Amino acid sequence: MGANSSSISDLPENEYLKKLSGAEPISENDPFWNQLLSFSFTTPTNSADLKLLEEATISVCKSLVEKNPRTGNLGSLIKVFLSRTKELKISAECQNHLFIWQAHNALFIICCLLKVFISRMSEEELQLHFTYEDKAPGSYGIECEDLIEELLCCLVQLIVEIPLLDITYSISLEAVTTLIVFLSCQLFRKEILRESIIHKYLMHGRCLPYTSRLVKTLLYNFIRQERSPPPGTHVFQQQSDGGGLLYGIASGVATGLWTVFTLGGVGSKPAPQLEQCSPLANQSLLLLLVLANLTDAPDTPNPYRQAIMSFKNTQDSTAFSSSNPHAFQINFNSLYTALCDQQKSDQATLLLYMLLHQNGNVRTYVLARTDIENLVLPILEILYHVEERNSHHVYMALIILLILTEDDGFNRSIHEVILKNITWYAERVLTEISLGSLLILVVIRTIQYNMTRTRDKYLHTNCLAALANMSAQFRSLHQYAAQRIISLFSLLSKKHNKVLEQATQSLRGSVGSNNSPLPDYAQDLNVIEEVIRMMLEIINSCLTNSLHHNPNLVYALLYKRDLFEQFRTHPSFQDIMQNIDLVISFFSSRLEQAGAELSVERVLEIIKQGAVALPKDRLRKFPELKFKYVEEEQPEEFFIPYVWSLVYNSAVALYWNPHDIQLFTMDSG
């Protein structure tokens, strides 16, 4: 950005940036653009560097906001970029580094400027800035081309058509980031945007035919997880004659005007946390989530959501439905592998949720996998480390389990998968346990954490719903899992007694001396009794459907039989207690007949024999426990702020000034 610019602090005084933001109009054919765009720069990939960059260039940006209505220099810069991109695909194939280099630099400047413009004006005002240009006398009647749509369409084409190579990685990343910036108007509005100029351009007109290709490309960027090429190699090639980073001197630009401008880039070592990530994969996933959660237009549904809902496996030979023009095919095996590997990030978990919830093809494929543990274990690890995760990541993980447990095949198969040495489970050494028993342990732990910390009824409900869906298919429960089921019931029982005692004491004391209102113990009691009822139904479902498969649960019941005494005559639990009481009485009798001081092994043997002898017709049948996940009536009120909170907090997203953000109704985790 000028011969003397070697650090961020020099940028406000850079002569080329000052001219760009000055009062003089610059023609798109002016040699100035070659000089401005001749700098070497590695795109910043962390918020700290981006914050420094914004602080250094904010004066230039403000000046351009003020002067652009008279100069139209923003429009000229965009036209220069558009002209550079016309032969970009051929440049990539021919390894034309110089051409790609300048196109990238133009787009980087546009992206930085655009971010400032969007944070300081409405979409209508932004649209005006794209139409300003220096006009000759008598030309005011001529209609201006729509540069916003032109630029948006160009960015989409760049993403889907330019092959991903070392030399094109940076410009592909910049194109994805610029689209996110275009859509970031939402961040600066307190309400959900339902009428947006940018949304209209992306969901209609020239961009619409690229919908399926854009979604497919973004998914493949996520799948491939391509790391950023080593700094200095993605645009330039080192020269054997000592030319260093300068390339293509014959382009006509004087050597003295070339700038080696570094920001955590050329010649520097990338930060350790960035060595393991793919900025392009991360940004592509964020853009995909943003596009999928654009609000539907009044006349047409969101085409990006339609594409996500309907894409199929490359091995699926069935014909596409004519009702959805945006359907496409993708390799499900590669997608499944990427989803399994990336669940530590919020955005990957949110993508998995969307695919399982909205795309029946993906859900069917996932449930048919014989290595389902590769997907379930990372989800369980999220729930296990609930203290370290933000609440929305935990919710997504839990809802994914709820969706999976709606399938009986899944509920059966997880008890057949045997795991060894689960190192992240710290409460107890688990040398060998089924995936199903581990799932039960983690969900129960989540319930107990919620009872003591967050006390979120919605979390309780979904945890219990997942256990209820599984209960009829419980098989060979690990002894520790069986113990934890009964321990949870014990905890609920103690809580019930405590609330009941508090309610009784408050009634005896009547109204206090200051006539202050009494706590609503009746509501607390009602909530805890609902949870206890659910736990009794889960235990009952297991006993009536798979008693002979679960001797460890019967053992745990017998060991803690006194817990259930108080609920036998309780009007809210009498019906559901009949089967549990019958099982406890039946097996207690058989153990008494076997004599005193029995070993654990002998007790389990008697239970197994008794399970065969117990007449099944003596157990009362109850309706099957089945719960389905139902999305809220207005999901965008949750998901749009959630998605933008992920963009805001992303390590490779643009730096956003927190004072400008309006949308935040989500915790930033």
Side-chain angles (χ1 to χ4, degrees):
M1 298 181 192
N4 297 319
S5 292
S6 58
S7 68
I8 296 175
S9 59
D10 295 330
L11 290 178
E13 301 304 317
N14 180 274
E15 59 178 296
Y16 297 104
L17 291 179
K18 289 174 76 172
K19 183 174 181 179
L20 173 67
S21 60
E24 178 188 346
I26 307 171
S27 164
E28 59 192 277
N29 299 315
D30 196 301
F32 162 81
W33 299 110
N34 282 333
Q35 300 161 357
L36 174 72
L37 302 179
S38 297
F39 62 90
S40 177
F41 186 84
T42 297
T43 305
T45 53
N46 63 75
S47 294
D49 284 349
L50 285 159
K51 181 180 181 181
L52 291 174
L53 181 64
E54 176 172 287
E55 290 172 348
T57 56
I58 193 67
S59 60
V60 173
C61 295
K62 286 181 177 179
S63 177
L64 186 63
V65 169
E66 179 186 345
K67 305 288 178 52
N68 188 65
R70 291 185 292 277
T71 65
N73 285 344
L74 175 63
S76 295
L77 172 60
I78 291 169
K79 289 176 184 178
V80 169
F81 167 71
L82 293 174
S83 69
R84 295 285 201 278
T85 59
K86 288 178 181 176
E87 304 297 329
L88 210 54
K89 187 175 181 180
I90 296 175
S91 297
E93 293 171 353
C94 299
Q95 298 283 305
N96 188 333
H97 295 242
L98 180 63
F99 207 82
I100 297 170
W101 171 52
Q102 289 207 340
H104 166 266
N105 288 351
L107 183 55
F108 178 80
I109 295 174
I110 291 169
C111 187
C112 291
L113 295 173
L114 191 61
K115 182 169 71 74
V116 176
F117 273 62
I118 285 176
S119 67
R120 282 167 168 73
M121 62 186 69
S122 68
E123 282 191 310
E124 290 76 13
E125 293 173 304
L126 178 68
Q127 194 172 32
L128 287 176
H129 273 276
F130 273 73
T131 60
Y132 294 135
E133 58 180 294
D134 186 39
K135 294 184 177 182
S139 64
Y140 289 97
I142 300 174
E143 186 176 344
C144 297
E145 59 184 315
D146 195 330
L147 273 183
I148 290 186
E149 183 172 25
E150 187 86 14
L151 179 56
L152 284 170
C153 194
C154 177
L155 293 173
V156 171
Q157 289 174 333
L158 195 158
I159 293 168
V160 302
E161 292 180 350
I162 302 301
L164 187 58
L165 309 168
D166 276 4
I167 61 171
T168 61
Y169 190 98
S170 287
I171 195 168
S172 296
L173 174 59
E174 206 60 50
V176 171
T177 302
T178 306
L179 276 180
I180 293 175
V181 171
F182 254 121
L183 291 161
S184 68
C185 292
Q186 179 63 86
L187 271 177
F188 307 99
R189 305 293 181 274
K190 291 182 180 179
E191 70 289 339
I192 302 296
L193 283 180
R194 302 187 189 281
E195 295 287 336
S196 165
I197 296 168
I198 308 301
H199 294 187
K200 179 182 175 183
Y201 283 129
L202 285 170
M203 296 200 285
H204 301 277
R206 294 176 56 192
C207 292
L208 185 61
Y210 293 95
T211 296
S212 59
R213 291 178 65 191
L214 179 57
V215 171
K216 185 175 182 178
T217 301
L218 295 175
L219 275 173
Y220 267 126
N221 285 348
F222 165 70
I223 288 169
R224 292 169 66 179
Q225 292 290 318
E226 292 282 354
R227 297 185 185 184
S228 180
T233 64
H234 55 302
V235 172
F236 294 101
Q237 292 178 337
Q238 296 290 342
Q239 311 221 345
S240 58
D241 61 356
L245 295 179
L246 303 185
Y247 182 87
I249 302 295
S251 64
V253 182
T255 305
L257 295 175
W258 292 70
T259 301
V260 179
F261 177 46
T262 63
L263 178 62
V266 178
S268 67
K269 185 178 180 181
Q273 67 269 26
L274 296 179
E275 291 177 352
Q276 301 301 318
C277 76
S278 167
L280 180 61
N282 186 78
Q283 294 294 77
S284 294
L285 179 52
L286 290 172
L287 177 58
L288 182 64
L289 294 174
V290 169
L291 291 171
N293 285 282
L294 298 180
T295 52
D296 294 330
D299 51 342
T300 54
N302 179 340
Y304 301 98
R305 189 182 303 127
Q306 281 190 308
I308 287 173
M309 291 171 63
S310 58
F311 70 81
K312 301 192 302 183
N313 195 354
T314 48
Q315 296 180 350
D316 188 344
S317 58
T318 58
F320 285 110
S321 170
S322 57
S323 62
N324 189 354
H326 307 299
F328 61 92
Q329 289 181 301
I330 201 167
N331 187 307
F332 276 18
N333 183 59
S334 300
L335 176 61
Y336 180 80
T337 301
L339 288 168
C340 292
D341 291 343
Q342 300 300 319
Q343 286 308 304
K344 288 185 179 179
S345 75
D346 271 84
Q347 45 265 43
T349 304
L350 181 55
L351 175 64
L352 175 59
Y353 157 77
M354 287 173 51
L355 295 178
L356 289 175
H357 178 50
Q358 299 179 0
N359 190 313
N361 301 319
V362 173
R363 184 168 60 253
T364 300
Y365 176 86
V366 167
L367 289 168
R369 292 285 301 206
T370 57
D371 60 347
I372 192 67
E373 68 273 14
N374 290 341
L375 186 68
V376 175
L377 281 173
I379 298 299
L380 294 182
E381 199 168 350
I382 293 169
L383 292 176
Y384 184 80
H385 295 294
V386 59
E387 304 94 335
E388 303 167 15
R389 304 290 181 182
N390 71 67
S391 60
H392 303 101
H393 199 185
V394 172
Y395 275 133
M396 288 299 102
L398 189 54
I399 292 169
I400 286 167
L401 287 185
L402 180 56
I403 292 171
L404 293 173
T405 60
E406 292 172 13
D407 183 77
D408 285 340
F410 171 83
N411 295 331
R412 285 191 297 271
S413 66
I414 56 175
H415 293 288
E416 298 168 1
V417 177
I418 304 302
L419 307 169
K420 296 183 184 294
N421 299 318
I422 307 301
T423 54
W424 49 262
Y425 193 91
E427 275 81 353
R428 178 165 173 161
V429 176
L430 299 175
T431 55
E432 186 171 290
I433 190 171
S434 71
L435 179 61
S437 289
L438 181 64
L439 196 158
I440 292 167
L441 285 174
V442 172
V443 171
I444 287 175
R445 185 180 184 274
T446 305
I447 294 173
Q448 291 179 323
Y449 175 83
N450 186 50
M451 286 175 65
T452 57
R453 303 285 185 88
T454 56
R455 300 181 182 180
D456 187 325
K457 184 181 178 182
Y458 183 78
L459 196 77
H460 263 349
T461 302
N462 283 283
C463 284
L464 291 169
L467 289 177
N469 285 346
M470 297 168 58
S471 59
Q473 308 293 336
F474 283 172
R475 294 289 188 276
S476 304
L477 289 182
H478 191 280
Q479 61 177 13
Y480 186 53
Q483 289 171 17
R484 298 308 294 163
I485 291 173
I486 304 304
S487 294
L488 175 58
F489 184 82
S490 175
L491 186 65
L492 292 168
S493 177
K494 290 176 183 176
K495 191 172 182 65
H496 177 267
N497 292 339
K498 182 179 179 181
V499 174
L500 192 60
E501 183 182 344
Q502 289 172 335
T504 304
Q505 289 176 352
S506 68
L507 287 173
R508 285 175 184 165
S510 187
V511 181
S513 58
N514 59 356
N515 294 322
S516 59
L518 292 171
D520 190 359
Y521 290 113
Q523 184 178 356
D524 291 346
L525 202 59
N526 183 57
V527 170
I528 194 67
E529 287 185 355
E530 283 181 9
V531 177
I532 288 175
R533 170 82 190 189
M534 186 75 127
M535 281 301 301
L536 289 172
E537 288 180 341
I538 289 167
I539 294 170
N540 180 71
S541 174
C542 177
L543 295 178
T544 54
N545 290 284
S546 54
L547 173 67
H548 57 293
H549 288 299
N550 293 291
N552 284 326
L553 181 62
V554 177
Y555 183 98
L557 269 175
L558 295 172
Y559 190 73
K560 294 284 188 178
R561 71 190 79 176
D562 294 344
L563 281 175
F564 300 89
E565 286 288 339
Q566 62 178 308
F567 299 108
R568 284 180 177 175
T569 56
H570 195 292
S572 298
F573 311 118
Q574 275 183 318
D575 58 337
I576 203 72
M577 275 299 302
Q578 290 178 19
N579 286 343
I580 296 172
D581 197 29
L582 173 63
V583 169
I584 290 174
S585 299
F586 177 81
F587 285 99
S588 295
S589 174
R590 294 182 74 91
L591 289 174
E592 288 173 5
Q593 294 172 14
E597 297 184 6
L598 300 173
S599 66
V600 173
E601 292 76 13
R602 178 59 182 151
V603 172
L604 286 171
E605 184 181 339
I606 293 170
I607 290 172
K608 291 175 184 177
Q609 293 169 353
V612 177
L614 177 65
K616 301 298 185 290
D617 56 2
R618 291 180 60 186
L619 295 173
R620 178 182 170 185
K621 288 292 183 182
F622 286 85
E624 183 181 9
L625 293 177
K626 272 298 172 188
F627 295 88
K628 292 183 71 69
Y629 167 69
V630 179
E631 200 168 72
E632 298 294 324
E633 290 184 8
Q634 289 186 307
E636 64 269 16
E637 301 295 340
F638 174 89
F639 287 104
I640 291 176
Y642 181 28
V643 168
W644 280 106
S645 73
L646 298 181
V647 174
Y648 178 85
N649 287 299
S650 170
V652 292
L654 281 169
Y655 166 75
W656 307 101
N657 190 325
H659 300 296
D660 296 332
I661 304 301
Q662 297 291 316
L663 182 68
F664 272 81
T665 57
M666 316 291 288
D667 68 272
S668 58

